[in-house]
Amino acid sequence: MAENRRTVRDLRRGNRSTLLRTLYFQGPVSRQELGELTGLSAGSVSSVVAELFADGLAEDAGSVGSDGGRPRTLLRVAPGSGHLIGADIGETHVRVALFDLALTELARWEHPLGPGRPEAGAVVEHILTGVDLVLAKGDVAADAVIGVGVGVPGIVERDPEAVVHGQSFGWDAVPLERLLRAGTPLPLFIDNGATAQGQAEMWFGAGRDADTAVIALIGSGAGASIVTGGSPYRGATSSAGEWGHTVVQVGGRTCRCGAVGCLEAYIGARAVLDRYRTRHGGGIAPGGGSLDGCEPAESGPVSAAGQQEAFAALLRAAADGADPRAREVVEEAAAYLGAGIADLVNLFNPERIILGGWAGLLLARHALPVVREATARYALRRPLARTEITAAALGPDAVALGAATLPLARFLGAGGRT
């Protein structure tokens, strides 16, 4: 009898999770549509919906007419029934944002990181400060927070707590989860930043309705989230997706990770700007924007804004033909990016390759046709013909949003029970 009771509880928990996920991603929908979408009986839908209303997780969202009958009431997940925090540990900043359950941003705090490799303890303090400040700004109590997601650069292993290996960051087995837990009782969810943003793009952005995709993020460096069967591919030790550290030139340029010939050393914004400066002596790009805004790769950027301004100016100068030197450097970077994308096409045969990150979006805006042409020179024709190369839809700083989907995924999987 006990075994049967556990089975019934498991069935009800599974029904609740299925219905809540459907309501979240497909809503607003009617009870009848929920039955059609989930395959649950009308009685099961009615029972679970009543539970969700009693728990404050669901609410009415208007009504629609029906053929010859009375109007159907539409339902949705109540946005204010829970809150999420996403933190982005970037190469130039720590960003913390507060969201409601519909992932509407309610408050944001950002702290710049100076040149050089950041010390883990200082980053932890920045995150904890940011969590307190966004809760105060959003007037949200800590007990209303479902969890804090943290997107980090590098490899995240769980043994059992999250430990971060960020070679380019200078982090070797940093016990990030333990350090954060010492300063907050909130549930923590830590993952690679590209993987976190990739999940958000698959749920809400350019990856929607795709089953297999690669979300390639380019900023100062480069990384990727590989999604297959709708889930991220992690590999044996969760290090899959280090696309920026695949080798494109044997004996090539030195990468920040210490290896030579990495793709990141040819397509990362900082590397591209360094290439312009060393080859052509820097200068001011026509149309505005200094190209002297970056230090050499080993010393870190002077400022995130300066680097982004300089990279945008370089791309503009290349696109309008005002600076042949800029065009030469950008075309070289596009060729290497095309080769890197071709490797993704040939290895993973994705439906979509989505270019994101602030530099990736600038490249997509100014040079996507050139990148596609370069990809065609290196990729196998048949898989490439079935791969769409497009820009990310969630903006240049969506890692914090992606990080917030980490606790959200657990919440939906548990049927809205924390």
Side-chain angles (χ1 to χ4, degrees), residues 247-263:
V247 176
V248 293
Q249 180 70 60
V250 174
R253 301 172 198 163
T254 301
C255 180
R256 294 178 305 154
C257 72
V260 295
C262 292
L263 178 64

Side-chain angles (χ1 to χ4, degrees), residues 290-310:
S290 171
L291 298 186
D292 294 323
C294 280
E295 290 291 331
E298 58 269 16
S299 62
V302 170
S303 74
Q307 185 180 139
Q308 293 181 24
E309 180 186 356

Side-chain angles (χ1 to χ4, degrees), residues 91 194 216-224 241-245 256 263-264 267-268:
E91 296 175 330
L217 303 185
I218 307 172
S220 294
E242 291 293 336
W243 172 62
H245 301 290
R256 294 178 305 154
L263 178 64
E264 180 177 297
I267 68 169

Side-chain angles (χ1 to χ4, degrees), residues 21-344:
R21 286 181 60 87
T22 303
L23 191 60
Y24 187 86
F25 290 109
Q26 303 292 331
V29 290
S30 67
R31 287 172 174 79
Q32 179 177 331
E33 289 170 317
L34 280 173
E36 294 168 354
L37 290 167
T38 62
L40 297 177
S41 68
S44 293
V45 169
S46 179
S47 175
V48 173
V49 165
E51 286 183 11
L52 295 177
F53 266 85
D55 293 342
L57 288 173
E59 64 182 19
D60 290 340
S63 61
V64 292
S66 60
D67 296 334
R70 61 184 181 181
R72 295 178 184 171
T73 300
L74 298 179
L75 313 174
R76 67 176 183 182
V77 171
S81 58
H83 294 82
L84 305 154
I85 293 176
D88 168 21
I89 303 175
E91 296 175 330
T92 57
H93 63 265
V94 172
R95 179 181 296 120
V96 181
L98 172 70
F99 303 88
D100 67 13
L101 203 56
L103 288 177
T104 300
E105 186 175 299
L106 305 177
R108 173 187 290 212
W109 177 84
E110 186 168 324
H111 183 85
L113 296 176
R117 293 175 168 179
E119 194 270 323
V123 170
V124 167
E125 288 302 316
H126 295 327
I127 292 173
L128 295 174
T129 297
V131 168
D132 290 340
L133 290 175
V134 297
L135 288 175
K137 186 176 180 180
D139 194 23
V140 171
D143 60 8
V145 176
I146 293 165
V148 179
V150 183
V152 304
I155 299 164
V156 179
E157 292 184 340
R158 291 169 180 82
D159 191 24
E161 294 184 326
V163 174
V164 180
H165 305 268
Q167 196 163 319
S168 297
F169 234 48
W171 287 11
D172 184 16
V174 170
L176 187 64
E177 184 172 353
R178 178 169 59 80
L179 294 173
L180 285 169
R181 284 199 188 284
T184 180
L186 295 173
L188 295 169
F189 302 81
I190 300 171
D191 210 335
N192 174 269
T195 301
Q197 182 168 341
Q199 179 164 270
E201 284 288 344
M202 294 299 291
W203 283 7
F204 310 111
R208 290 196 73 170
D209 304 320
D211 190 59
T212 305
V214 178
I215 299 87
L217 303 185
I218 307 172
S220 294
S225 173
I226 302 159
V227 177
T228 178
S231 300
Y233 175 74
R234 297 183 179 277
T237 58
S238 297
S239 67
E242 291 293 336
W243 172 62
H245 301 290
T246 55
V247 176
V248 293
Q249 180 70 60
V250 174
R253 301 172 198 163
T254 301
C255 180
R256 294 178 305 154
C257 72
V260 295
C262 292
L263 178 64
E264 180 177 297
Y266 293 83
I267 68 169
R270 184 160 47 181
V272 174
L273 288 167
D274 284 345
R275 189 67 169 166
Y276 183 92
R277 294 176 69 247
T278 57
R279 184 180 293 182
H280 303 300
I284 305 298
S290 171
L291 298 186
D292 294 323
C294 280
E295 290 291 331
E298 58 269 16
S299 62
V302 170
S303 74
Q307 185 180 139
Q308 293 181 24
E309 180 186 356
F311 192 70
L314 180 67
L315 292 174
R316 287 195 302 269
D320 64 20
D323 185 346
R325 303 172 303 167
R327 181 171 182 174
E328 177 186 342
V329 170
V330 171
E331 286 183 347
E332 179 188 71
Y336 278 104
L337 177 55
I341 291 175
D343 287 343
L344 296 174

